[in-house]
Amino acid sequence: MFMKINEGTTDRAVRIVTGIILLTVAFILLGSMRVLAVILLAAGAVALFTGITGHCTLYTVLGISTCSKCDDKS
């Protein structure tokens, strides 16, 4: 894997659930509020992707890691 895991299990779970919720709401709003739906789609996709991969680029830039067991893994 080319990206170091820097998210703990709870962090990843919250991101996955949040991503699914945001994507669901975005698809519901797609017909009426397109701008808000696109914003929610983007935010949901990012949350879901980072939750699945376990890597957050913003965490890397800020030097944050919520995964105490993952410090030695890459």
Side-chain angles (χ1 to χ4, degrees), residues 1 3-13 15 50-51 53-56 59-60 63-74:
M1 183 179 231
M3 298 183 295
K4 183 176 180 180
I5 295 175
N6 60 4
E7 296 174 1
T9 306
T10 304
D11 193 1
R12 292 176 78 174
R15 287 170 185 259
T50 59
T53 62
H55 175 78
C56 177
Y59 278 8
T60 302
I64 298 171
S65 177
T66 59
C67 182
S68 58
K69 296 179 183 178
C70 302
D71 290 334
D72 296 332
K73 298 178 184 176
S74 18

Side-chain angles (χ1 to χ4, degrees), residues 21-66:
I21 291 170
L22 289 174
L23 290 172
T24 303
V25 172
F27 282 115
I28 291 170
L29 296 177
L30 200 54
S32 58
M33 295 186 245
R34 289 188 185 264
V35 174
L36 179 59
V38 169
I39 293 169
L40 291 176
L41 276 170
V46 169
L48 189 59
F49 178 76
T50 59
I52 290 171
T53 62
H55 175 78
C56 177
T57 304
L58 185 58
Y59 278 8
T60 302
V61 171
L62 298 176
I64 298 171
S65 177
T66 59

